Amino acid sequence: MHQLSPTDASFFQLETPKQPMIIGALWICDQSTAPNGLVRHKQILEYVEDRISHSSLFRRRLQAVPMNLDDPYWIDDANFNLEYHVRHVGLPKPGDLRQLRIFTARIMSRSMDMERAPWELYIIEGLNDPDNFPENGFAVLLRLHHAYVDGKSAVELMSMMLETTPEHHFGERDLEQFAEPALSPTEAWARTIPRLASQAFRSTKAGIRAARKGRELYSRLRQDAHPDQTQVPQTLFNQNISPQRVYGSIDWDYLQLKSISRLTPNASVNDAIVAIVGGGLRRYLDMHNELPDDQSLVALCPVSVRPNQKKRAMGNMVSGMLIGIGTDIEDPIARLEKVQSRTSKAIPLAQEVISELVIAWGEMVPPAMRSLVGWAQGKLHLLSRMPLINTVITNVPGPAGMEPRYFVGARVDKIYPLIPNADGVAITHGITGIGTNLALGVTCDRAIMPDMDDYLACIAASTQEYLALTR
């Protein structure tokens, strides 16, 4: 029985009906590589059951403690039913990319039943768009609660369902049964009361740690990591969100992004992506007469602090850096140079200071108070009134290596990420990929961005502007 960390619990506590804390991935699969060129739903159920049979990770659900006085626990679901989690649907005609995006946005608008293991797998048939999908292809939408995993561990769980060959050999893994009874009220109180008794000690210890890291953060911000701007501009994305989402995506070639990063010494592919998104947001906001004059939009860019030995462990092991993404800079080269300068300072700060500060803060504040903060945010919408960021840009490498990956024998051609939204953060950007294909997935509140195609055109124009300079 594993208790959620304060960071994991925060995603559970911040969830409201209109802001589900769900991350996901959309796969485009070519079933022509499967045996007999066809994948049936029964085969998918058998395959998924065989792939997850050696681990309890896909069978765990939450159990809250009495009165939410402590962080909840993960327990093995004794009533786990695979057919509830694996669902088979079909797109309405014409079954093109637009229909797939609409379906994806609708599903990502929904919360999950936290009385069950918090993941869902949708098999989506009816794809009929030769320009974007393989002939007779299908899509797979995997949803995972953010309290369950962060981006990097989500990719590892996703990789557990993929193979490097189209041939799958059943029965090579030992089938293990996981059934852990839920805590009785007496057992729950027996765990909670000692934690409450020791909370003062843990808060004091964490407070000392937070004060030490806070002083270090203050010192470094005054010296080598001094920020270029100290305020976050108020934009149309810093509003209370509705329950509805819109989703869009764009494909990149990794080698092209690599060539863009070479336009500036020491720039990474991640820097190139941030600069491209900055150029896209600049175009879009200027189109709507909403571009801040003298301040850059600020993005939260998560930074993984997960050690390799815990790459498949549950939970969130992530820090973050706040980066001005250069929306105030018209020249693309100058924008990339500024992004590279900012990330080179911010990444060490996120890894060495901010990650420890976030952990210490979570341990210092009692769980009941953290739950109250989450409730207050849901009612008072503080983050939309006092913006800390304008957007999220997270780059999570996909399955390692360049060799193809297969799902029930069907080759996975593309992977698109999905990142949740919250009040004050109406637009988020996720980047992942497979092989040499990198994909940007954009999720936004539908009322705030009804013209997703226009925004994707702005991102494409920003990309082409950089590619022209590489030539």
Side-chain angles (χ1 to χ4, degrees), residues 116-290:
R116 300 175 183 265
W119 66 275
E120 296 168 354
L121 190 73
Y122 289 82
I123 311 300
I124 308 168
E125 289 192 343
L127 306 189
N128 185 23
D129 187 345
D131 293 334
N132 295 289
F133 307 134
E135 185 179 357
N136 200 26
F138 65 94
V140 177
L141 174 60
L142 174 63
R143 301 208 311 155
L144 299 151
H145 200 281
H146 214 327
Y148 200 46
V149 288
D150 57 20
K152 193 169 183 178
S153 56
V155 169
E156 290 299 326
L157 288 186
M158 177 180 70
S159 298
M160 291 174 63
M161 291 199 183
L162 302 179
E163 296 183 310
T164 56
T165 66
E167 296 289 339
H168 177 69
H169 301 286
F170 289 91
E172 292 190 351
R173 298 166 181 246
D174 294 333
L175 179 61
E176 298 183 27
Q177 297 295 330
F178 303 92
E180 185 173 7
L183 292 174
S184 68
T186 301
E187 291 171 327
W189 278 113
R191 287 175 176 264
T192 303
I193 290 174
R195 292 268 301 170
L196 291 175
S198 63
Q199 180 63 58
F201 171 76
R202 288 184 285 115
S203 293
T204 302
K205 184 178 178 181
I208 295 171
R209 185 179 173 190
R212 185 175 67 251
K213 285 296 178 181
R215 287 195 301 270
E216 183 179 352
L217 176 63
Y218 177 77
S219 174
R220 293 179 66 163
L221 288 176
R222 287 177 58 87
Q223 299 174 20
D224 56 317
H226 183 73
D228 295 330
Q229 66 184 57
T230 57
Q231 292 183 329
V232 177
Q234 186 82 32
T235 71
L236 60 87
F237 302 120
N238 299 104
Q239 303 182 38
N240 300 334
I241 60 173
S242 74
Q244 306 300 325
R245 300 290 177 268
V246 63
Y247 182 70
S249 60
I250 192 169
D251 294 294
W252 288 315
D253 183 273
Y254 174 80
L255 298 179
Q256 290 182 334
L257 292 177
K258 189 68 176 176
S259 67
I260 291 173
S261 70
R262 296 193 184 103
L263 293 171
T264 295
N266 301 318
S268 66
V269 168
N270 191 69
D271 296 332
I273 291 171
V274 172
I276 289 172
V277 172
L281 279 169
R282 176 183 172 85
R283 285 172 167 81
Y284 182 81
L285 291 173
D286 189 47
M287 181 192 307
H288 292 272
N289 297 317
E290 294 279 354

Side-chain angles (χ1 to χ4, degrees), residues 369-437:
M369 187 175 295
R370 281 190 271 110
S371 183
L372 180 62
V373 169
W375 176 86
Q377 161 57 23
K379 296 294 183 181
L380 303 177
H381 312 293
L382 301 176
L383 293 180
S384 55
R385 299 181 183 182
M386 300 177 291
L388 301 178
I389 59 173
N390 301 115
T391 185
V392 173
I393 304 175
T394 177
N395 184 5
V396 182
M402 294 298 180
E403 67 271 16
R405 292 293 195 277
Y406 299 87
F407 176 74
V408 203
R411 186 181 66 243
V412 180
D413 287 345
K414 296 177 181 179
I415 298 177
Y416 297 101
L418 298 114
I419 310 300
N421 306 95
D423 283 335
V425 193
I427 185 169
T428 57
H429 305 77
I431 302 94
T432 193
I434 189 166
T436 60
N437 179 265

Side-chain angles (χ1 to χ4, degrees), residues 46 52 69 72 74 106 116 152 243 256 283 287 290 321 330 339 354 365 396 404 433 443 455:
E46 292 173 347
I52 70 175
L69 292 174
W74 291 114
R106 286 175 179 169
R116 300 175 183 265
K152 193 169 183 178
Q256 290 182 334
R283 285 172 167 81
M287 181 192 307
E290 294 279 354
M321 54 182 180
E330 182 177 6
V339 167
I354 295 178
V365 180
V396 182
T443 310
Y455 179 59

Side-chain angles (χ1 to χ4, degrees), residues 59 98 292 387 460:
R59 290 174 165 81
R98 177 176 173 273

Side-chain angles (χ1 to χ4, degrees), residues 431-457:
I431 302 94
T432 193
I434 189 166
T436 60
N437 179 265
L438 278 182
L440 168 70
V442 182
T443 310
C444 193
D445 181 87
R446 191 169 71 182
I448 294 174
M449 182 179 279
D451 53 349
M452 174 61 77
D453 287 344
D454 289 344
Y455 179 59
L456 295 178

